[in-house]
Amino acid sequence: MKDWNLDHSWTLFLDRDGVINQRIMGNYVKQKDQFVLLPGVARAILKANQLFCRVVVVTNQQGIGKGLMTERNLSGIHSYCSELLKSEGAVIDAYYFAPDLASENSPLRKPGSGMALLAKADFPEIDFQKSVMVGDSDSDIEFGRKVGMKTVFIHHRETMDHVHADLTCDSLESFINLLNDDI
């Protein structure tokens, strides 16, 4: 990671389910009482706020496209996430989501680059060559690679190792701790 030359001008892109909060296998987090931060995430995001210029979330949410939840439900979940993080001093600068079904092949939905382009439109200082995507699925890693980001795969018991990521860690916290040790 030393060759990444990471400094405060970089942006951190995060997947949500499985990286920030507990994933509900075979289902969706549809309301805030189902949203549970993973251990160490608030501290990790607080440290990330000190290391990176921006921290943004990019999340596929096809539960909306399936009619299982609404954009309003999702907004409430993201507001709740921000409240939990704020109580620890951590901040997410923006949340981007793709409500589309996977079968629709929407460019907004990861691995498409639509959410990255929306983030760049909102924050023109974002340079994808100076960005890191942290996710726990092939589509997260492909999303980051498509626009030239460094990629970090979060490995869970339910996932297989991703050989195409620049780095593999077992949690967001372990990745941020590695960065802190490296800088």
Side-chain angles (χ1 to χ4, degrees):
M1 286 185 313
K2 287 188 189 284
D3 64 336
W4 291 8
N5 297 317
L6 192 135
D7 62 30
H8 195 66
S9 67
W10 283 56
T11 302
L12 180 62
F13 285 79
L14 301 172
D15 177 48
R16 197 193 77 187
D17 300 321
V19 174
I20 294 175
N21 62 283
Q22 289 180 2
R23 174 188 299 257
I24 300 176
M25 295 309 289
N27 206 339
Y28 304 94
V29 175
K30 299 182 287 271
Q31 47 200 0
K32 72 179 190 177
D33 66 348
Q34 297 173 313
F35 184 90
V36 178
L37 281 179
L38 289 167
V41 163
R43 267 188 322 276
I45 293 175
L46 176 60
K47 289 178 185 176
N49 292 145
Q50 297 160 359
L51 295 170
F52 292 88
C53 177
R54 299 266 177 229
V55 177
V56 299
V57 171
V58 287
T59 179
N60 288 341
Q61 292 294 321
Q62 76 171 347
I64 295 170
K66 290 182 175 182
L68 301 174
M69 59 192 285
T70 65
E71 288 188 18
R72 186 173 181 195
N73 295 128
L74 184 63
S75 178
I77 292 165
H78 289 164
S79 292
Y80 180 64
C81 176
S82 288
E83 288 172 30
L84 293 174
L85 294 172
K86 186 178 180 184
S87 71
E88 300 291 328
V91 175
I92 299 290
D93 292 294
Y95 295 86
Y96 299 94
F97 67 94
D100 315 285
L101 297 173
S103 61
E104 294 175 26
N105 294 318
S106 166
L108 190 60
R109 186 178 164 80
K110 291 178 291 182
S113 56
M115 288 187 279
L117 299 175
L118 289 176
K120 179 133 176 87
D122 288 344
F123 304 106
E125 70 276 10
I126 290 176
D127 176 351
F128 296 133
Q129 302 296 314
K130 291 179 153 189
S131 296
V132 179
M133 174 63 203
V134 179
D136 67 340
S137 72
D138 288 349
S139 66
D140 295 326
I141 302 309
E142 188 178 337
F143 163 85
R145 293 184 77 77
K146 270 187 180 178
V147 295
M149 296 180 196
K150 300 294 186 193
T151 56
V152 178
F153 181 71
I154 301 299
H155 175 72
H156 305 289
R157 281 180 283 161
E158 306 86 28
T159 60
M160 298 180 65
D161 283 326
H162 194 285
V163 295
H164 301 297
D166 295 302
L167 184 65
T168 298
C169 294
D170 62 2
S171 68
L172 177 60
E173 182 179 38
S174 65
F175 167 61
I176 296 298
N177 287 340
L178 278 174
L179 280 181
N180 264 337
D181 292 345
D182 229 27
I183 293 178

PDB file of all heavy atoms in Angstrom, residues 146-158:
ATOM      1  N   LYS A 146     -13.287  -0.526 -12.834  1.00  0.00           N
ATOM      2  CA  LYS A 146     -13.761   0.108 -14.077  1.00  0.00           C
ATOM      3  C   LYS A 146     -13.361   1.573 -14.177  1.00  0.00           C
ATOM      4  O   LYS A 146     -13.117   2.073 -15.273  1.00  0.00           O
ATOM      5  CB  LYS A 146     -15.285   0.019 -14.176  1.00  0.00           C
ATOM      6  CG  LYS A 146     -15.783  -1.199 -14.854  1.00  0.00           C
ATOM      7  CD  LYS A 146     -17.286  -1.117 -15.059  1.00  0.00           C
ATOM      8  CE  LYS A 146     -17.767  -2.375 -15.742  1.00  0.00           C
ATOM      9  NZ  LYS A 146     -19.220  -2.358 -15.923  1.00  0.00           N
ATOM     10  N   VAL A 147     -13.349   2.268 -13.038  1.00  0.00           N
ATOM     11  CA  VAL A 147     -13.039   3.696 -13.073  1.00  0.00           C
ATOM     12  C   VAL A 147     -11.620   4.003 -12.587  1.00  0.00           C
ATOM     13  O   VAL A 147     -11.252   5.168 -12.443  1.00  0.00           O
ATOM     14  CB  VAL A 147     -14.091   4.538 -12.299  1.00  0.00           C
ATOM     15  CG1 VAL A 147     -15.445   4.461 -12.972  1.00  0.00           C
ATOM     16  CG2 VAL A 147     -14.169   4.126 -10.846  1.00  0.00           C
ATOM     17  N   GLY A 148     -10.841   2.957 -12.321  1.00  0.00           N
ATOM     18  CA  GLY A 148      -9.432   3.153 -11.986  1.00  0.00           C
ATOM     19  C   GLY A 148      -9.108   3.276 -10.510  1.00  0.00           C
ATOM     20  O   GLY A 148      -8.022   3.732 -10.156  1.00  0.00           O
ATOM     21  N   MET A 149     -10.030   2.871  -9.642  1.00  0.00           N
ATOM     22  CA  MET A 149      -9.777   2.933  -8.198  1.00  0.00           C
ATOM     23  C   MET A 149      -8.909   1.767  -7.738  1.00  0.00           C
ATOM     24  O   MET A 149      -8.883   0.713  -8.376  1.00  0.00           O
ATOM     25  CB  MET A 149     -11.098   2.843  -7.425  1.00  0.00           C
ATOM     26  CG  MET A 149     -12.064   3.967  -7.643  1.00  0.00           C
ATOM     27  SD  MET A 149     -13.547   3.661  -6.630  1.00  0.00           S
ATOM     28  CE  MET A 149     -14.695   4.801  -7.386  1.00  0.00           C
ATOM     29  N   LYS A 150      -8.248   1.941  -6.594  1.00  0.00           N
ATOM     30  CA  LYS A 150      -7.665   0.827  -5.861  1.00  0.00           C
ATOM     31  C   LYS A 150      -8.849   0.064  -5.255  1.00  0.00           C
ATOM     32  O   LYS A 150      -9.887   0.672  -4.937  1.00  0.00           O
ATOM     33  CB  LYS A 150      -6.735   1.304  -4.744  1.00  0.00           C
ATOM     34  CG  LYS A 150      -5.577   2.137  -5.223  1.00  0.00           C
ATOM     35  CD  LYS A 150      -4.631   1.334  -6.066  1.00  0.00           C
ATOM     36  CE  LYS A 150      -3.408   2.169  -6.413  1.00  0.00           C
ATOM     37  NZ  LYS A 150      -2.608   1.569  -7.455  1.00  0.00           N
ATOM     38  N   THR A 151      -8.707  -1.239  -5.080  1.00  0.00           N
ATOM     39  CA  THR A 151      -9.826  -2.032  -4.577  1.00  0.00           C
ATOM     40  C   THR A 151      -9.416  -2.874  -3.381  1.00  0.00           C
ATOM     41  O   THR A 151      -8.314  -3.413  -3.331  1.00  0.00           O
ATOM     42  CB  THR A 151     -10.392  -2.946  -5.684  1.00  0.00           C
ATOM     43  OG1 THR A 151      -9.336  -3.763  -6.204  1.00  0.00           O
ATOM     44  CG2 THR A 151     -11.016  -2.129  -6.810  1.00  0.00           C
ATOM     45  N   VAL A 152     -10.346  -2.950  -2.424  1.00  0.00           N
ATOM     46  CA  VAL A 152     -10.146  -3.750  -1.220  1.00  0.00           C
ATOM     47  C   VAL A 152     -11.355  -4.660  -1.066  1.00  0.00           C
ATOM     48  O   VAL A 152     -12.498  -4.189  -1.001  1.00  0.00           O
ATOM     49  CB  VAL A 152      -9.985  -2.862   0.034  1.00  0.00           C
ATOM     50  CG1 VAL A 152      -9.826  -3.730   1.285  1.00  0.00           C
ATOM     51  CG2 VAL A 152      -8.816  -1.901  -0.133  1.00  0.00           C
ATOM     52  N   PHE A 153     -11.087  -5.957  -1.031  1.00  0.00           N
ATOM     53  CA  PHE A 153     -12.142  -6.954  -0.876  1.00  0.00           C
ATOM     54  C   PHE A 153     -12.254  -7.339   0.593  1.00  0.00           C
ATOM     55  O   PHE A 153     -11.258  -7.704   1.219  1.00  0.00           O
ATOM     56  CB  PHE A 153     -11.822  -8.194  -1.720  1.00  0.00           C
ATOM     57  CG  PHE A 153     -12.866  -9.268  -1.636  1.00  0.00           C
ATOM     58  CD1 PHE A 153     -14.102  -9.095  -2.226  1.00  0.00           C
ATOM     59  CD2 PHE A 153     -12.604 -10.465  -0.977  1.00  0.00           C
ATOM     60  CE1 PHE A 153     -15.067 -10.085  -2.158  1.00  0.00           C
ATOM     61  CE2 PHE A 153     -13.551 -11.453  -0.899  1.00  0.00           C
ATOM     62  CZ  PHE A 153     -14.798 -11.267  -1.497  1.00  0.00           C
ATOM     63  N   ILE A 154     -13.462  -7.221   1.146  1.00  0.00           N
ATOM     64  CA  ILE A 154     -13.725  -7.649   2.518  1.00  0.00           C
ATOM     65  C   ILE A 154     -14.206  -9.091   2.457  1.00  0.00           C
ATOM     66  O   ILE A 154     -15.252  -9.386   1.898  1.00  0.00           O
ATOM     67  CB  ILE A 154     -14.768  -6.746   3.212  1.00  0.00           C
ATOM     68  CG1 ILE A 154     -14.293  -5.293   3.245  1.00  0.00           C
ATOM     69  CG2 ILE A 154     -15.079  -7.277   4.615  1.00  0.00           C
ATOM     70  CD1 ILE A 154     -13.010  -5.033   3.997  1.00  0.00           C
ATOM     71  N   HIS A 155     -13.403  -9.968   3.025  1.00  0.00           N
ATOM     72  CA  HIS A 155     -13.659 -11.408   2.992  1.00  0.00           C
ATOM     73  C   HIS A 155     -14.454 -11.830   4.224  1.00  0.00           C
ATOM     74  O   HIS A 155     -14.043 -11.570   5.349  1.00  0.00           O
ATOM     75  CB  HIS A 155     -12.323 -12.163   2.939  1.00  0.00           C
ATOM     76  CG  HIS A 155     -12.466 -13.634   3.027  1.00  0.00           C
ATOM     77  ND1 HIS A 155     -12.964 -14.390   2.000  1.00  0.00           N
ATOM     78  CD2 HIS A 155     -12.181 -14.492   4.030  1.00  0.00           C
ATOM     79  CE1 HIS A 155     -12.971 -15.651   2.363  1.00  0.00           C
ATOM     80  NE2 HIS A 155     -12.511 -15.739   3.596  1.00  0.00           N
ATOM     81  N   HIS A 156     -15.611 -12.452   3.982  1.00  0.00           N
ATOM     82  CA  HIS A 156     -16.439 -13.017   5.056  1.00  0.00           C
ATOM     83  C   HIS A 156     -16.461 -14.528   4.900  1.00  0.00           C
ATOM     84  O   HIS A 156     -16.081 -15.049   3.856  1.00  0.00           O
ATOM     85  CB  HIS A 156     -17.893 -12.529   4.945  1.00  0.00           C
ATOM     86  CG  HIS A 156     -18.050 -11.055   4.913  1.00  0.00           C
ATOM     87  ND1 HIS A 156     -17.843 -10.254   6.007  1.00  0.00           N
ATOM     88  CD2 HIS A 156     -18.410 -10.212   3.913  1.00  0.00           C
ATOM     89  CE1 HIS A 156     -18.072  -9.002   5.683  1.00  0.00           C
ATOM     90  NE2 HIS A 156     -18.408  -8.944   4.411  1.00  0.00           N
ATOM     91  N   ARG A 157     -16.956 -15.206   5.892  1.00  0.00           N
ATOM     92  CA  ARG A 157     -17.106 -16.664   5.779  1.00  0.00           C
ATOM     93  C   ARG A 157     -17.990 -17.037   4.590  1.00  0.00           C
ATOM     94  O   ARG A 157     -17.782 -18.050   3.951  1.00  0.00           O
ATOM     95  CB  ARG A 157     -17.699 -17.253   7.057  1.00  0.00           C
ATOM     96  CG  ARG A 157     -16.669 -17.393   8.170  1.00  0.00           C
ATOM     97  CD  ARG A 157     -17.281 -17.968   9.389  1.00  0.00           C
ATOM     98  NE  ARG A 157     -18.039 -16.882  10.017  1.00  0.00           N
ATOM     99  CZ  ARG A 157     -18.995 -17.049  10.896  1.00  0.00           C
ATOM    100  NH1 ARG A 157     -19.349 -18.238  11.280  1.00  0.00           N
ATOM    101  NH2 ARG A 157     -19.620 -16.013  11.412  1.00  0.00           N
ATOM    102  N   GLU A 158     -18.981 -16.189   4.288  1.00  0.00           N
ATOM    103  CA  GLU A 158     -19.919 -16.494   3.212  1.00  0.00           C
ATOM    104  C   GLU A 158     -19.365 -16.179   1.822  1.00  0.00           C
ATOM    105  O   GLU A 158     -19.961 -16.521   0.818  1.00  0.00           O
ATOM    106  CB  GLU A 158     -21.228 -15.701   3.371  1.00  0.00           C
ATOM    107  CG  GLU A 158     -21.917 -15.855   4.693  1.00  0.00           C
ATOM    108  CD  GLU A 158     -21.392 -14.870   5.735  1.00  0.00           C
ATOM    109  OE1 GLU A 158     -20.915 -13.774   5.390  1.00  0.00           O
ATOM    110  OE2 GLU A 158     -21.454 -15.221   6.932  1.00  0.00           O
TER     111      GLU A 158
END
